[in-house]
Amino acid sequence: MSSSPPESTNQGPAPAPTPAPAPAPIRLLVVDDDPLVRAGLRLMLGGASSGIEIVGEASDGTEVAALVDRHSPDVVLMDIRMPTVDGLAATEQLRQREPAPEVVILTTFNADEHVLRALRAGAAGFVLKDTPPADLVAAVRRVAAGEPVLSPTVTQQLIEHVAGSGQDARQERAWALLDQLNDREREVAVAVGQGKSNAEISAGLFMSLATVKTHVSRILTKLELNNRVQIALLAHDAGLLE
């Protein structure tokens, strides 16, 4: 009686790995009362290679809420000066929503008390209208990733611009908030105010990167802040950066 031939162990070529899906584009709403500015931003930001999709445009702050409801943008690029509802009021309204899109202020000024008010309201930063296209794309990407678009130098310029206005009241309010933090959280808040990244804070305060992230998250939650820019402004108002 003949034996059966052994089964073949040849399974053929391994299947090719499934390519990872392309990341979803960043959904951007552009708000500016100048149609030429909006057209320029559309050209700079709307290319397929940018990873940004312009889902809507508005010419005034009155249109923003409805467009956000309709298109659910990740980021709103917001002009300040508009005829009916300006970008400041629109930013304050947007940042009170849950969930709230990130807001980047679009301005012609690099030191303006209006920009500071928008940052205090929860805007993630600002860009100048003459920013080069590649830098503008990078700014939108950074904000969508949860990073502020504001250098420590620019923060200092803004703060100095309004330093003489209500300083005592701001300092009193800042300390009332910071008193809610423990010592370690306050150290992290100061480091954030100095413009340090999480990695730099980790090295400087001898704690793990995960611990730094936890402290930053707790600071935001305890003080009911939106982002790191607001932490930096609070640390300055308290006089901890001088």
Side-chain angles (χ1 to χ4, degrees):
M1 184 173 179
S2 61
S3 60
S4 301
E7 294 184 5
S8 172
T9 58
N10 183 10
Q11 301 297 321
T18 303
I26 297 165
R27 299 172 63 80
L28 178 70
L29 175 65
V30 175
V31 185
D32 195 293
D33 65 336
D34 188 335
L36 291 178
V37 171
R38 295 199 307 273
L41 292 170
R42 197 162 53 242
L43 287 173
M44 287 191 287
L45 295 169
S49 62
S50 71
I52 298 169
E53 177 187 2
I54 297 178
V55 295
E57 298 178 18
S59 59
D60 190 78
T62 55
E63 306 166 22
V64 172
L67 287 171
V68 168
D69 286 338
R70 187 182 311 159
H71 299 295
S72 300
D74 302 304
V75 179
V76 178
L77 193 56
M78 181 87 73
D79 187 24
I80 288 183
R81 291 166 176 80
M82 293 180 287
T84 307
V85 174
D86 64 22
L88 300 174
T91 296
E92 289 168 347
Q93 293 167 9
L94 280 184
R95 294 303 298 172
Q96 292 172 5
R97 298 166 65 101
E98 186 62 44
E102 298 291 350
V103 178
V104 179
I105 297 300
L106 188 64
T107 180
T108 55
F109 302 95
N110 66 353
D112 190 314
E113 68 272 17
H114 292 155
V115 175
L116 185 61
R117 177 182 155 193
L119 295 174
R120 292 187 187 281
F126 79 91
V127 293
L128 301 179
K129 288 190 176 182
D130 60 359
T131 298
D135 292 344
L136 190 56
V137 169
V140 171
R141 287 176 174 169
R142 284 182 58 190
V143 168
E147 301 175 23
V149 182
L150 199 65
S151 70
T153 301
V154 172
T155 301
Q156 190 62 34
Q157 288 176 344
L158 285 167
I159 291 167
E160 288 173 355
H161 188 69
V162 292
S165 175
Q167 184 174 7
D168 292 342
R170 288 201 311 272
Q171 187 173 55
E172 184 177 342
R173 174 185 173 274
W175 270 110
L177 288 171
L178 290 171
D179 278 344
Q180 300 177 44
L181 306 180
N182 61 40
D183 291 343
R184 203 59 164 157
E185 289 166 346
R186 197 174 296 119
E187 287 180 325
V188 172
V190 171
V192 169
Q194 293 167 340
K196 294 180 180 178
S197 66
N198 285 349
E200 290 170 330
I201 297 171
S202 173
L205 296 182
F206 305 103
M207 61 177 68
S208 71
L209 193 58
T211 301
V212 174
K213 292 178 180 178
T214 297
H215 281 316
V216 172
S217 178
R218 285 177 179 168
I219 292 167
L220 293 172
T221 300
K222 283 185 177 182
L223 305 187
E224 297 183 354
L225 302 178
N226 289 295
N227 54 45
R228 297 169 75 99
V229 175
Q230 289 183 315
I231 296 175
L233 292 172
L234 197 64
H236 180 277
D237 286 349
L240 296 177
L241 305 185
E242 297 175 354

